Amino acid sequence: VQLQASGGGLVQPGGSLRLSCAASGNIFSINGMGWYRQAPGKRRELVATITNGGNTNYADFVKGRFTISRDNAKNTLYLQMNSLKPEDTAVYRCYADIQARYWGQGTQVTVSS
């Protein structure tokens, strides 16, 4: 099983980005999925999670700004990030719970003017 994350980049404060995380390989079904982030010198933070039924949870610091979603037919996870702030700058990593937890590679998000 492999997870391929994409969509990071440089954006100005107030801007938007959409991250994607595509799972491939020997997948029968994916249970929970989610995104973490880690900024330099800081601890890893859970950003958002989504169950295979579509129930979502968000960290307080992204509520109202970020939206997590998934396309089960495509085994793909998304994170729509709006109203980005400089403090959102971090490496974002996705995960998928299948028989075990699998991780995607990090994708850098930089919010700066």
Side-chain angles (χ1 to χ4, degrees):
V1 176
Q2 291 186 330
L3 299 182
Q4 181 67 44
S6 61
L10 173 64
V11 64
Q12 292 186 341
S16 298
L17 283 174
R18 188 193 195 203
L19 305 184
S20 298
C21 176
S24 61
N26 187 16
I27 300 171
F28 178 69
S29 66
I30 302 177
N31 298 314
M33 303 182 80
W35 294 92
Y36 279 83
R37 73 183 189 186
Q38 187 165 20
K42 294 188 176 181
R43 298 178 64 179
R44 186 178 67 177
E45 300 176 308
L46 179 62
V47 176
T49 64
I50 185 168
T51 68
N52 58 2
N55 294 317
T56 59
N57 275 292
Y58 297 92
D60 286 343
F61 52 78
V62 302
K63 281 182 179 177
R65 301 189 298 124
F66 291 10
T67 301
I68 189 171
S69 62
R70 61 191 283 174
D71 184 333
N72 291 332
K74 296 180 178 179
N75 290 329
T76 300
L77 174 71
Y78 303 99
L79 186 68
Q80 177 67 44
M81 305 185 294
N82 298 328
S83 303
L84 283 161
K85 305 175 182 179
E87 51 264 43
D88 294 318
T89 295
V91 174
Y92 286 70
R93 291 188 73 190
C94 58
Y95 74 85
D97 290 332
I98 307 174
Q99 295 90 352
R101 177 161 289 187
Y102 292 86
W103 292 91
Q105 87 287 8
T107 184
Q108 176 70 46
V109 172
T110 302
V111 185
S112 175
S113 56

